[in-house]
């Protein structure tokens, strides 16, 4: 028998600190796979962010810099402008990209910076213990919305991807989820397409990935993976939100 | 050339590759100069960022991949940059940050002030760190120190702040640019350029290991001690026989010089001590001068900030007076002369030629 | 087509998503704890595994290696 699947080369041999059933490590693995398959390991410079994934550089075996909370898009901009040969990606959560980092995200997208934004949306602030995120659903209980998110006080969940799609500098945005084998495979394709978009010099691309957070959602793993389908995709529909790359597929 | 533009030209000649800024009075000429003269240079990049926060973080990114990078602002914008500067210091990334300070606090005035001394010299952002702070007092010095700042930043892997002010930025004086832009700069050995033929590198500030964080702090402070030993810069004017020595930096030193020349013409034995590096502060030299003169008069355009460093340097040994004007008010040489004279006579100091 | 998998017991966190998505019922919970305090899963093949690798695709820990004829 031959080996058909194993731990990718650019995923450091280290056990993940993430909770059981968390989506972060799945996306880390997909990134490592895509980087290997595209042969771009020697060009990649990643920017990680504050949040559960602040230690992403402990797992991804590529040059990485940790940006201040929310500033990933600006740091990535500086990197790409100073060293255009690099393949620059950001790895950000919902608070990092769409709360504190909203301005940096929108303007990097508007300038059409040739970077790839990997956006992990788990509708909550995980690392700090489960507070409301911009993408928290209506009525969802978090530690700062203990009575459920109230539209009158906290507004609606923020659809940053749909907002960014309005900008001409943005050429590709897709929303996927990592709560099923099919979803994970689609996510990998989307990540690959985002990197290809950058390699083709076309503009800003973003992959929004709905990801489970069993511990802060106060659910078991299986329930949390199902909750994404039951509740999240109604508010954050999966699929291509914008694609002006002209590429049918990354392959 | 105006001071702001001189900074821009000097930066380009120092090999600055990236400038990221945001409009704010009174430094807009610098941002505009870079838009005109840097943006189209080969391998160079200019962005008018969406905020000062974004600009300092763009500098972080560009510096991380090895580019000589610069940003500039004025006082309220410098407040926004403090987080970014703390991160730069922690990651040991070189950067040049120019502050053409103005009256504050708050949005303040657009006129020159020196009230960002504390912000510049005491870290400014969170955490134990320092940045080199250079205080020019002429357009020529703005150019010279800007050029030097890039070298210092790279040499010590530290952010360097050029603390100017609205008046220096706006005034026009002849400048001699003594350097040509380098054809090519070597890539910094710590730069993130992709893991080609080497293990991957990480630039980071967060750790769950407190011992690691502690060791970083000790290591930074060892470097700061080295910088204190080697890079402290200071200038004196007519201090040898001075009974009263004015201690001033930047534009205040220019104003004081005018007052001192008049004072000397009136027979008052006055001199000027001008720190050029505000950090590292020339404490040793100040202490020496306090021993030879009868008293020091600290003169700054703020409520007394460098005053504290002078007092710290003296440790109670010697007399220190203070004259300050905050809020963007520009004192005149004759006003400063009156203050000098009043202290001189009140103190009963000897006159002479 | 025959297949088999190898699961790194020390890295597995017992999230059971591999069990959920395996169509060949070839994985089950082991009865013991690993060093991290999780109950890992084990390959319990009754000859059914075809090396489809769905388990490895869903595994958040990248703990599964898949072999196929």
């Amino acid at each position: 028998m031959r080996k058909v699947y194993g731990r990718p080369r650019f995923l450091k041999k280290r056990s993940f600190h993430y909770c059981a059933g968390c989506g972060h490590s799945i996306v880390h693995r997909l990134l490592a796979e895509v980087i290997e398959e595209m042969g771009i390991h020697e060009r990649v410079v990643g920017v990680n962010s504050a949040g559960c994934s602040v230690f992403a550089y402990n797992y991804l075996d590529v040059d990485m810099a940790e940006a201040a909370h929310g500033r990933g898009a600006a740091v990535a901009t500086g990197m790409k402008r100073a060293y255009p040969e690099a393949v620059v990606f950001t790895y950000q959560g919902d608070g990092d990209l769409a709360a504190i980092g909203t301005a940096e995200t929108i303007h990097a997208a508007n300038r059409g910076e040739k970077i790839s934004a990997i956006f992990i949306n788990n509708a909550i602030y995980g690392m700090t213990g489960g507070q409301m995120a911009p993408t928290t659903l209506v009525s969802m209980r978090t530690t700062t919305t203990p009575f459920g998110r109230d539209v009158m006080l906290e507004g609606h969940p923020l659809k940053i991807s749909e907002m960014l799609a309005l900008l001409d500098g943005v050429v590709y945005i897709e929303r996927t989820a990592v709560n099923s084998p099919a979803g994970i495979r689609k996510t990998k394709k989307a990540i690959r397409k985002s990197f290809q978009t950058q390699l083709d010099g076309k503009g800003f691309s973003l992959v929004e990935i709905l990801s489970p957070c069993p511990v802060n959602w106060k659910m078991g793993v299986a329930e949390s993976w199902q909750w994404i389908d039951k509740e999240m995709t109604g508010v954050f529909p999966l699929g291509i939100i914008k694609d002006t790359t002209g590429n049918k597929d990354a392959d | 050339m105006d001071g702001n533009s001189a900074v821009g030209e000097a930066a380009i000649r120092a090999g600055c590759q990236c400038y990221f800024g945001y409009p704010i009075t009174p430094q807009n000429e610098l941002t505009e100069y870079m838009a005109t003269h840097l943006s189209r240079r080969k391998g160079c990049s200019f962005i008018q960022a969406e905020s000062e926060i974004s600009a300092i973080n763009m500098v972080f990114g560009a510096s991380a991949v090895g580019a000589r990078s610069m940003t500039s602002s004025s006082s309220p914008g410098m407040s926004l940059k403090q987080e970014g500067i703390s991160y730069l210091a922690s990651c040991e990334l070189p950067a040049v940050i120019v502050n053409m300070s103005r009256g504050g606090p708050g949005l303040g005035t657009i006129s020159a002030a020196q009230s960002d001394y504390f912000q510049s010299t005491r870290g400014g952002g969170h955490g134990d760190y320092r940045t080199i702070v250079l205080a020019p007092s002429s357009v020529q010095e703005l150019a010279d120190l800007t050029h030097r700042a890039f070298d210092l930043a790279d040499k010590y892997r530290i952010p360097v702040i050029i603390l100017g002010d609205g008046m220096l930025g706006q005034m026009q004086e002849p400048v001699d640019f003594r350097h040509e832009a380098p054809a090519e700069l070597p890539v910094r050995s710590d730069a993130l350029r992709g893991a080609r033929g080497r293990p991957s590198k990480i630039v980071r500030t967060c750790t769950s290991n407190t011992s690691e964080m502690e060791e970083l702090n000790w290591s930074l402070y060892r470097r700061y001690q080295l910088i204190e030993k080697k890079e402290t810069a200071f200038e004196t004017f007519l201090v040898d026989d001075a009974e009263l020595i004015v201690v001033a930096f930047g534009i205040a030193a220019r104003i004081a010089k005018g007052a001192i020349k008049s004072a000397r013409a009136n027979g008052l034995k006055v001199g000027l001590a001008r720190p050029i590096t505000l950090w590292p502060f020339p404490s040793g030299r100040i202490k020496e001068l306090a021993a030879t003169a009868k008293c020091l008069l600290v003169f700054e355009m703020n409520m007394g900030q460098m005053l504290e460093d002078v007092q710290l340097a003296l440790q109670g040994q010697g007399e220190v007076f203070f004259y300050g004007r905050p809020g963007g008010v520009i004192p005149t040489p004759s006003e400063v002369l009156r203050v000098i004279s009043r202290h001189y006579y009140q103190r009963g100091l000897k006159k002479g030629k | 087509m025959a297949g088999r998998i190898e699961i790194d017991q020390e890295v597995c966190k017992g999230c059971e998503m591999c069990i959920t998505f395996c169509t060949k019922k070839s994985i089950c919970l082991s009865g013991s704890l690993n060093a991290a305090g999780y109950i890992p899963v084990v390959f319990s093949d009754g000859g059914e595994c075809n090396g489809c690798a769905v388990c490895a695709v869903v595994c958040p820990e990248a703990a599964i290696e898949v072999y196929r004829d």
Side-chain angles (χ1 to χ4, degrees), chain A residues 20-22 179-180 212-215 217 219-230, chain C residues 14-21:
Chain A
C22 171
N179 63 335
S180 67
C213 183
V215 170
W217 292 352
M219 299 173 190
V221 175
E223 191 190 348
S224 69
W225 284 43
Q226 284 157 20
W227 193 81
I228 290 177
D229 289 330
K230 251 177 51 176
Chain C
C15 77
E16 300 184 56
M17 288 299 100
C18 52
I19 297 175
T20 302
F21 289 104

Side-chain angles (χ1 to χ4, degrees), chain B residues 88-89 92-97 129-133 149-161 220 223-224 227 279:
Chain B
L88 282 163
E92 304 173 72
L93 289 174
V96 176
I97 302 135
Y129 71 94
R130 300 285 191 164
T131 61
I132 294 176
V133 183
F150 284 95
D151 286 341
L152 286 172
D154 274 354
K155 180 174 178 182
Y156 295 103
R157 304 253 169 100
I158 189 173
V160 178
I161 294 177
L220 287 176
R223 191 176 316 165
Y224 299 153
I227 297 172
W279 192 88

Side-chain angles (χ1 to χ4, degrees), chain A residues 1-8 11 14-22 25-26 29 179-181 184-185 221-222 225, chain C residues 2-4 11 13-15 17 20-21 38 51-54 56-69:
Chain A
M1 289 198 190
R2 65 176 207 292
K3 186 152 129 180
V4 296
Y5 205 102
R7 195 181 181 88
L11 204 59
R14 229 188 128 124
S15 46
F16 292 109
H17 72 280
Y18 303 111
C19 301
C22 171
S25 42
I26 299 176
R29 191 190 80 230
N179 63 335
S180 67
I184 293 169
R185 291 198 181 100
V221 175
W225 284 43
Chain C
R4 73 174 168 83
V11 154
K13 289 184 182 145
C15 77
M17 288 299 100
T20 302
F21 289 104
Y38 295 102
C52 75
V54 162
V57 165
V58 301
C59 177
E61 309 308 317
I64 303 179
E65 285 182 346
V66 184
Y67 298 84
R68 197 191 295 157
D69 271 337

Side-chain angles (χ1 to χ4, degrees), chain A:
Chain A
M1 289 198 190
R2 65 176 207 292
K3 186 152 129 180
V4 296
Y5 205 102
R7 195 181 181 88
R9 187 175 153 212
F10 298 119
L11 204 59
K12 293 179 188 172
K13 284 186 176 57
R14 229 188 128 124
S15 46
F16 292 109
H17 72 280
Y18 303 111
C19 301
C22 171
H24 269 307
S25 42
I26 299 176
V27 181
H28 290 3
R29 191 190 80 230
L30 298 178
L31 276 164
E33 289 174 5
V34 168
I35 287 168
E36 184 177 0
E37 286 162 24
M38 295 181 86
I40 51 176
H41 164 250
E42 293 185 347
R43 294 172 60 182
V44 169
V45 184
V47 180
N48 68 305
S49 55
C52 285
S53 62
V54 71
F55 297 128
Y57 45 66
N58 282 343
Y59 311 114
L60 288 165
D61 198 0
V62 293
D63 276 1
M64 287 195 77
E66 178 196 309
H69 192 25
R71 317 300 175 204
V75 171
T77 295
M79 287 177 166
K80 188 74 183 181
R81 294 290 187 116
Y83 186 44
E85 296 82 4
V87 177
V88 180
F89 73 90
T90 69
Y91 188 100
Q92 303 174 265
D94 37 47
D96 202 273
L97 188 137
I100 186 169
T102 311
E104 285 81 7
T105 303
I106 288 178
H107 286 278
N110 193 47
R111 286 189 300 265
E113 300 293 341
K114 297 167 186 61
I115 58 180
S116 302
I118 308 298
F119 169 37
I120 309 296
N121 178 2
N122 62 5
I124 204 155
Y125 278 26
M127 195 209 70
T128 44
Q131 297 82 14
M132 186 189 86
T135 50
T136 294
L137 306 187
V138 174
S139 303
M140 192 171 159
R141 283 176 205 275
T142 69
T143 61
T144 47
T145 57
F147 314 111
R149 181 177 188 145
D150 181 350
V151 166
M152 298 305 285
L153 297 173
E154 284 100 34
H156 289 272
L158 193 75
K159 298 191 190 146
I160 191 82
S161 291
E162 280 82 352
M163 283 165 61
L164 293 172
L166 295 169
L167 305 171
D168 292 333
V170 173
V171 298
Y172 169 59
I173 296 188
E174 185 166 354
R175 185 183 287 122
T176 64
V178 286
N179 63 335
S180 67
I184 293 169
R185 291 198 181 100
K186 270 213 170 90
T187 302
K188 180 174 174 174
K189 274 203 167 130
I191 292 172
R192 198 188 163 101
K193 181 161 179 159
S194 174
F195 281 11
Q196 190 61 52
T197 300
Q198 184 177 159
L199 289 171
D200 295 342
K202 293 200 163 149
F204 182 90
S205 65
L206 180 144
V207 182
E208 178 180 339
I209 304 166
L210 304 184
S211 178
C213 183
V215 170
N216 287 302
W217 292 352
K218 307 211 183 330
M219 299 173 190
V221 175
E223 191 190 348
S224 69
W225 284 43
Q226 284 157 20
W227 193 81
I228 290 177
D229 289 330
K230 251 177 51 176
E231 301 290 339
M232 284 191 81
T233 54
V235 176
F236 298 106
L238 303 179
I240 292 179
I241 296 170
K242 183 171 186 178
D243 186 356
T244 56
T245 59
N247 294 340
K248 258 202 96 172
D249 224 309
D251 298 322

Side-chain angles (χ1 to χ4, degrees), chain B residues 18 113 172 230 240 288 291 312 315:
Chain B
C18 293
Q172 304 214 6
K230 299 204 156 192
D240 292 333
E288 278 165 23
L312 260 175
Q315 303 269 304

